[in-house]
Amino acid sequence: MPRAEAPARAATGADKSSARPRVPRAAVSKAALARRLNRVEGQVRGIGRMVEEDRYCVDILTQVAAVQSALDALARELLEHHLHGCVQHAVKSGDGDRAIEEALSVIRKFGR
């Protein structure tokens, strides 16, 4: 049975990989996020080396906690940007209920 073709999406500014819109960030903000992510990536690689080298479990767990803390800080920064930008815009344009519910949904994921 042939697969049905997905209907072509109109050009809405949405990223081709998802239905979500692209969100421009200031170059300074984007660079700071990239630095944070690079640091986290390095920490994760370091944890991998520690496991390979049979390092002491508590030392590895300490590094895991540091990575989790760094990711939490990154998430808070992204959430702040989302609330002050995307959600604020949605509220002003009359789509606030949906945007607030979406924000609460993602916030709940961090409370687990």
Side-chain angles (χ1 to χ4, degrees), residues 6-61:
R9 281 199 320 236
T12 60
D15 184 76
K16 292 180 182 179
S17 64
S18 72
R20 307 260 189 224
R22 295 181 66 112
V23 179
R25 290 177 177 79
V28 172
S29 176
K30 191 182 289 190
L33 289 172
R35 280 192 304 276
R36 280 180 181 248
L37 285 169
N38 287 336
R39 194 170 324 134
V40 169
E41 183 180 7
Q43 288 176 295
V44 171
R45 281 194 308 271
I47 292 170
R49 283 191 302 274
M50 292 175 80
V51 169
E52 287 296 316
E53 296 168 358
D54 295 322
R55 298 278 297 272
Y56 186 56
C57 297
V58 172
D59 292 342
I60 297 171
L61 289 167

Side-chain angles (χ1 to χ4, degrees), residues 93-110:
S93 66
D95 195 22
D97 289 341
R98 180 206 53 81
I100 291 169
E101 189 54 44
E102 180 183 54
L104 288 171
S105 176
V106 76
I107 291 167
R108 286 184 198 108
K109 292 178 182 180
F110 290 98

